[in-house]
Structures are given as C-alpha cells and as structure tokens.
Amino acid sequence: MISDNIRQLNGTFIKMVPMEAAHKAELTSILNNPQIWEFTWRKIASAGEVEQLIDTALTGKEKGHDLPYVMIDLSTGRIAGTSRIMHIDRTHRNAEIGCTWISPDYWRTPVNTEAKALLLQHCFEHLELIRVNFTIVGDNLRSQRAIERIGAVKEGVLRKHRITSGGAVLNNVLYSIIDEEWPAVKANLHYLLHEKYIRQ
C-alpha cells in the first residue's frame, strides 16, 4: 500500500519526515507568508487557508494518494518547508513531485535541491516508479530554470491549466524525469550539492 511507503528520508542538510498533524502549527506560521505564493497559482492570504492546505495533504496521506513530507533543517531542527509525492499511479508507475513550499529564510540554500534529490531517490529506488513529473506556473521562470538545472525534460505547456482565486487563468509548464534518466540526474544533483554547498 502507498501509505506504507512513507518513511523518513535523510540527507546532509535536511531530513524529510512524514507530515503529521503535530507539524500543523509551525507549518502554518511558516507558510502564512505572501512571498511564498507570489509565483504560484494559489493566492494564500490567511492562516486558515494554509491550514486547509495542510489538512488536504494529511487527508491525501491517510487515503494513500499522496506522500507529504516536512523538511527539517538538520543544523537547527527548524521546519524549512514542505513537499510531497502526489498523484501516485501504481498501475502505470508514475507520480508528481509538487506542493513544494519553502520559507524564504531557506531560499538560495541547499534545502530545495536536497529535497528534490531525496524525493526523486525515493520515487525511483524505493517506489520503483518509471516517471516523475513536475508542473510549474508558466510565468515562474525561476522555478523552471531550477528544475531544468537538475536535469528534468520540458515536455510542453498545459494551456489554461489553473485558475487562481482571483479568476486569472494560467498556463503550466510540464517537466518529467524518467527512470533511465535518473542515474544521470542523481549524479548531477550530487554534484550540485557537493560543489555548491558542501565544499564551501
């Protein structure tokens, strides 16, 4: 069962722990920040809306649809953000990594890179998936460059894919990594983490 496959993922800078209700208060405090939502299709404006997102993640975990994680900074024990493996399809062995929301305190640090490395490793080496995809809002060029940098392949544009709470209609850009590409992506992620952060 999918829910049996959610376990702690340990890295050099962070650990990814399965999201629990006990994380809700700290996560809500971190994610109730307009900077985090500026380039997403969601426009979160209150703690209550953040709590709803967390409740949705926990419900998905209970039902076995999603594997939501919380990123813990190993140097401080603080929560840095959250991400999840979602839309898991065991029949066709694919899933999406998304709902990645990180405190601005951890932007331009190794947190996001290592989170992607840990989640992708779990997808390909433990869940034995053959495809992992990412969808990124069309005007979020920073996130698009970041996912291209780790080796994901741009497949195209999902036109008029999301509607914001304010009524704006947005395109999403679709990226993927497939199983035969994973060894090269894994090596690249290791290089990025080692060269940019560990050697500093």
Side-chain angles (χ1 to χ4, degrees):
M1 184 177 176
I2 291 292
S3 58
D4 295 336
N5 288 306
I6 187 163
R7 59 184 183 178
Q8 183 169 303
L9 310 176
N10 297 308
T12 301
F13 301 98
I14 62 168
K15 61 182 177 181
M16 305 281 284
V17 302
M19 185 186 290
E20 303 287 351
H23 297 126
K24 190 172 181 178
E26 188 175 354
L27 265 178
T28 299
S29 176
I30 291 165
L31 299 181
N32 189 23
N33 183 331
Q35 284 183 272
I36 294 172
W37 311 102
E38 183 177 1
F39 295 105
T40 74
W41 64 269
R42 292 178 176 86
K43 299 306 173 189
I44 302 300
S46 70
E49 290 175 307
V50 176
E51 290 175 355
Q52 288 178 3
L53 292 179
I54 297 168
D55 288 341
T56 298
L58 292 171
T59 298
K61 176 187 170 188
E62 289 172 7
K63 292 183 175 179
H65 301 156
D66 301 331
L67 304 181
Y69 286 91
V70 172
M71 308 164 188
I72 306 293
D73 178 359
L74 289 176
S75 67
T76 65
R78 292 171 54 201
I79 292 178
T82 180
S83 189
R84 77 186 76 158
I85 302 167
M86 57 195 204
H87 306 152
I88 300 167
D89 184 337
R90 290 300 298 211
T91 299
H92 300 290
R93 295 170 61 195
N94 63 75
E96 179 171 353
I97 291 176
C99 295
T100 302
W101 307 312
I102 299 172
S103 165
D105 292 345
Y106 289 93
W107 292 359
R108 292 173 291 278
T109 75
V111 165
N112 191 36
T113 301
E114 187 160 58
K116 293 290 189 296
L118 292 170
L119 292 175
L120 284 165
Q121 184 172 16
H122 190 58
C123 284
F124 287 114
E125 298 181 14
H126 183 70
L127 300 180
E128 298 182 337
L129 303 182
I130 61 173
R131 171 189 168 89
V132 176
N133 66 267
F134 308 82
T135 54
I136 300 172
V137 170
D139 60 1
N140 190 348
L141 299 181
R142 182 182 66 186
S143 291
Q144 290 174 47
R145 298 295 85 81
I147 205 68
E148 289 169 2
R149 182 167 166 261
I150 70 172
V153 174
K154 182 178 179 178
E155 295 188 336
V157 178
L158 303 172
R159 298 179 300 166
K160 294 190 172 183
H161 193 231
R162 290 287 185 268
I163 301 176
T164 70
S165 57
V169 180
L170 304 176
N171 297 335
N172 265 346
V173 183
L174 178 65
Y175 291 87
S176 71
I177 298 168
I178 56 177
D179 53 347
E180 54 260 45
E181 296 164 349
W182 167 236
V185 171
K186 182 178 182 179
N188 184 44
L189 284 163
H190 181 269
Y191 170 81
L192 292 172
L193 286 165
H194 182 79
E195 291 298 316
K196 187 170 182 180
Y197 299 110
I198 295 176
R199 283 194 173 184
Q200 289 181 352

